[in-house]
């Protein structure tokens, strides 16, 4: 009897054990199924959210004409799916990594994070570049950044920049585009520390600011030809006589200050297209576009090459070892005329590579710049002078949407929506595409500091 009872107990225990296994298996199966369903729903929700975001971003870039709308449709579907991924995700190397990367060849991609600053957080934006405050209705131009093809370009780090530039001095030397560039840099840096303006000239064209916490000084020096020049032109571009341009003399307004700068960003260009009398050895040698003067037409190419050679030789032959950045010509985007003849720029989306060609005049100036820079860089290497090229021409050519256009003035269509107003299709809105110039500037500068 005892033996029989023991067998029954054992059978009962085995039966119970099988039942427990079945119950556990059922519970585990249910749990896995629930997790799979939950993950699927969550992923679907994420895709739906991303689709809505992309759709919203594309719809915000509305353009005013049928041609613009067709271009917008084309561009809104051309952005790669991995555009917001990190370098480890999208296969790009860091711009400062071991491999070579042309940071000036790439694409303008959508950046939902937007700019570092806006017209409220930066009080340093000049009125004629403050597009948002002046009533520009679209905002898509604010949500794009430059992305090199083969590497990741870090965003400008204002705190790191100021730390690196402690007890140092920068100067931006050139025309009003250089001033535009400085204002972008100031707005970015002001998110960390507010600069104090410590100098300006009578026309407020040349200025200097000081960041006291870092003892960092930032200057802009207005010298549109980089050469000595007699200019009788007001702020609206109206001249009372021809420009007298001395092709063999640099402008002392910047050369006299050069030894006080650790870094210099220098650029020229557009002013050489103006009517000018050329002077060499204190004698009139010829001119550019001066009909009726009975002077030899030498052309702007002659003057621009002379100027760049003189400027770059000044750096390579100088005992002062500042770091020099030469920025290339800035293209404009006037359509249906020039700035003085009703030209406009009302596009609201960038071009893609191949959709626009550089103008002959700009191409000529760019070729002169690249040729003269290559010669100077070779001489600089021999003399221990650091020359860096900021080739912003081609990437800027793709941004017809980044200019103030009619919004260089406050609410230009408030009283008449068909009002005829002068457009600015040369300078850049702030914030705007020019902010990416500073991403490139910092990356070039940081690489230089690292390799020293």
């Amino acid at each position: 009897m005892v033996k029989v009872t023991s067998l029954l107990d054992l059978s009962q225990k085995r039966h119970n054990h099988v039942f427990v296994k079945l119950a556990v298996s059922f519970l585990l199966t249910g749990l896995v199924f629930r997790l799979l369903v939950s993950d699927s729903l969550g992923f679907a929700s994420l895709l739906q959210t991303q689709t809505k975001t992309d759709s919203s971003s594309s719809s915000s870039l509305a353009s005013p004409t049928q041609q613009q709308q067709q271009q917008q449709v084309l561009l809104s579907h051309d952005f790669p799916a991995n555009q917001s991924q990190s370098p480890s995700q999208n296969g790009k190397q860091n711009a400062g990594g071991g491999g070579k990367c042309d940071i000036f060849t790439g694409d303008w991609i959508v950046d939902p994070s937007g700019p570092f600053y806006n017209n409220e957080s930066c009080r340093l934006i000049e009125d004629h570049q403050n597009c948002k405050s002046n009533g520009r209705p679209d905002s898509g131009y604010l949500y794009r950044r430059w992305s090199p093809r083969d590497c990741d370009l870090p965003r400008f780090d204002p705190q790191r920049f100021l730390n690196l530039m402690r007890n140092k001095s920068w100067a931006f030397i050139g025309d009003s585009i250089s001033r535009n560039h400085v204002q972008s840099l100031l707005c970015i840096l002001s998110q960390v520390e507010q600069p104090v303006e410590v100098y300006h000239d009578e026309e407020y064209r040349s200025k200097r600011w000081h960041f006291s916490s870092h003892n960092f000084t930032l200057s802009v020096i207005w010298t549109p030809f980089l050469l000595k020049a007699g200019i009788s032109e007001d702020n609206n571009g109206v001249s009372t006589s021809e420009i007298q341009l001395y092709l063999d003399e640099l402008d002392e307004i910047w050369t006299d200050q050069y030894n006080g700068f650790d870094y210099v960003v220098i650029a020229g260009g557009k002013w050489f297209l103006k009517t000018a009398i050329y002077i060499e050895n204190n004698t009139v040698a010829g001119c550019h576009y001066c009909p009726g003067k009975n002077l030899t037409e030498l052309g702007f190419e002659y003057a621009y090459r002379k100027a760049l050679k003189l400027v770059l030789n000044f750096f390579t032959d100088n005992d002062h070892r500042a770091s020099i950045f030469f920025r290339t010509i800035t293209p404009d985007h006037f359509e249906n005329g020039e700035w003085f003849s009703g030209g406009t720029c009302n596009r609201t989306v960038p071009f893609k590579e191949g959709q626009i060609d550089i103008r002959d005049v700009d191409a000529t100036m760019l070729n002169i710049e690249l040729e003269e820079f290559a010669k100077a860089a070779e001489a600089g290497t021999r003399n221990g002078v650091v020359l860096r090229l900021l080739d912003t021409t081609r990437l800027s050519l793709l941004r017809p949407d980044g200019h103030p256009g009619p919004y260089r003035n406050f609410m230009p269509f408030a009283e008449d929506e068909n009002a005829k107003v002068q457009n600015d299709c040369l300078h850049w809105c702030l914030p705007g595409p020019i902010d990416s110039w500073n991403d490139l500037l910092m990356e070039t500068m940081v690489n230089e500091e690292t390799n020293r």
Side-chain angles (χ1 to χ4, degrees):
M1 178 63 68
V2 173
K3 186 175 181 180
V4 173
T5 303
S6 297
L7 289 174
L8 289 173
D9 290 341
L10 181 60
S11 176
Q12 184 67 34
K13 287 180 180 179
R14 287 178 178 174
H15 178 75
N16 291 341
H17 184 64
V18 171
F19 178 80
V20 169
K21 280 186 174 181
L22 289 172
V24 170
S25 298
F26 179 80
L27 289 173
L28 288 175
T29 301
L31 180 60
V32 170
F33 177 78
R34 181 171 181 179
L35 287 173
L36 287 174
V37 171
S38 176
D39 284 353
S40 299
L41 290 174
F43 184 64
S45 176
L46 179 62
L47 287 177
Q48 186 179 15
T49 301
Q50 182 63 42
T51 302
K52 287 181 179 179
T53 301
D54 293 344
S55 175
S56 174
S57 177
S58 297
S59 65
S60 69
L61 302 177
S63 53
T65 66
Q66 184 177 5
Q67 179 183 5
Q68 287 289 98
Q69 291 168 354
Q70 292 171 348
Q71 184 187 39
Q72 180 182 341
V73 171
L74 171 67
L75 293 177
S76 64
H77 294 286
D78 270 350
F79 296 105
N82 61 358
Q83 64 188 17
S84 298
Q85 294 176 347
S86 65
S88 61
Q89 293 172 312
N90 63 22
K92 290 185 178 182
Q93 65 178 5
N94 290 326
K100 290 185 177 179
C101 173
D102 179 6
I103 60 176
F104 303 106
T105 299
D107 304 281
W108 290 96
I109 65 172
V110 173
D111 181 9
S113 63
F116 264 109
Y117 62 93
N118 55 44
N119 57 310
E120 294 180 351
S121 65
C122 181
R123 56 181 177 81
L124 299 166
I125 304 175
E126 291 192 4
D127 291 342
H128 46 281
Q129 268 103 52
N130 202 338
C131 303
K132 202 68 178 175
S133 289
N134 286 343
R136 179 167 173 171
D138 62 304
S139 60
Y141 69 98
L142 299 171
Y143 295 95
R144 297 180 186 268
R145 65 179 174 83
W146 179 249
S147 178
R149 297 268 171 83
D150 301 318
C151 56
D152 182 74
L153 178 65
R155 295 195 69 176
F156 192 99
D157 185 338
Q159 185 63 70
R160 185 183 184 192
F161 179 90
L162 287 171
N163 289 342
L164 286 171
M165 292 301 109
R166 191 176 297 278
N167 302 321
K168 294 183 179 179
S169 177
W170 276 67
F172 285 68
I173 300 172
D175 55 22
S176 56
I177 299 294
S178 292
R179 191 162 64 244
N180 200 177
H181 192 180
V182 165
Q183 289 161 6
S184 167
L185 180 57
L186 283 168
C187 281
I188 295 172
L189 296 178
S190 69
Q191 307 309 298
V192 172
E193 179 183 352
Q194 285 293 331
V196 175
E197 184 180 311
V198 294
Y199 166 80
H200 63 77
D201 62 6
E202 291 183 4
E203 295 82 17
Y204 288 81
R205 287 172 165 170
S206 296
K207 295 182 179 182
R208 184 165 59 250
W209 297 265
H210 187 242
F211 294 77
S212 59
S213 296
H214 297 82
N215 193 28
F216 169 60
T217 302
L218 178 59
S219 301
V220 58
I221 300 175
W222 186 77
T223 170
F225 292 102
L226 306 175
L227 303 175
K228 178 181 176 182
I231 302 172
S232 57
E233 182 175 298
D234 62 22
N235 289 331
N236 293 318
V238 178
S239 300
T240 55
S241 64
E242 294 86 0
I243 295 167
Q244 308 291 309
L245 186 58
Y246 295 78
L247 299 184
D248 52 1
E249 295 185 53
L250 294 173
D251 190 352
E252 293 180 352
I253 194 173
W254 70 268
T255 57
D256 286 351
Q257 302 180 61
Y258 173 67
N259 287 352
F261 302 132
D262 299 293
Y263 292 83
V264 167
V265 182
I266 195 161
K270 293 296 187 181
W271 275 71
F272 284 84
L273 301 178
K274 293 175 177 284
T275 297
I277 308 298
Y278 295 154
I279 300 172
E280 295 184 75
N281 298 318
N282 292 319
T283 302
V284 174
C287 69
H288 170 55
Y289 192 66
C290 55
K293 290 289 184 183
N294 196 27
L295 295 173
T296 303
E297 172 63 44
L298 295 175
F300 72 88
E301 303 100 318
Y302 175 84
Y304 197 43
R305 192 178 293 277
K306 280 258 187 181
L308 290 186
K309 193 182 297 289
L310 196 62
V311 168
L312 293 171
N313 285 346
F314 173 83
F315 293 131
T316 57
D317 296 340
N318 202 294
D319 291 334
H320 179 58
R321 294 294 186 260
S323 294
I324 311 299
F325 298 86
F326 178 76
R327 179 180 54 74
T328 55
I329 186 77
T330 303
D332 64 68
H333 292 93
F334 286 99
E335 298 184 64
N336 305 312
E338 298 297 328
W339 68 271
F340 54 84
S341 59
T344 60
C345 46
N346 57 6
R347 297 180 184 269
T348 58
V349 291
F351 290 118
K352 297 295 285 185
E353 197 72 47
Q355 291 181 329
I356 185 174
D357 294 324
I358 189 170
R359 297 198 320 177
D360 290 343
V361 168
D362 290 337
T364 298
M365 302 189 88
L366 178 61
N367 288 335
I368 292 172
E369 290 173 342
L370 296 179
E371 291 168 6
E372 294 304 320
F373 180 85
K375 297 173 189 175
E378 184 178 351
T381 300
R382 294 194 299 268
N383 298 341
V385 178
V386 179
L387 294 177
R388 294 285 184 266
L389 185 69
L390 287 175
D391 188 3
T392 57
T393 302
R394 295 177 181 87
L395 63 94
S396 301
L397 182 65
L398 301 177
R399 292 304 306 271
D401 59 317
H403 302 292
Y407 298 100
R408 67 189 295 269
N409 297 310
F410 181 71
M411 299 296 179
F413 306 113
E415 296 182 4
D416 180 2
E417 62 180 14
N418 297 315
K420 300 295 183 182
V421 297
Q422 189 181 69
N423 278 242
D424 183 351
C425 306
L426 174 62
H427 299 92
W428 303 94
C429 290
L430 293 176
I434 200 170
D435 295 324
S436 281
W437 291 10
N438 286 313
D439 294 340
L440 295 163
L441 179 63
M442 181 164 185
E443 184 61 30
T444 306
M445 183 270 292
V446 168
N447 286 343
E448 175 193 316
E449 293 289 327
T450 302
N451 294 330
R452 278 186 173 184

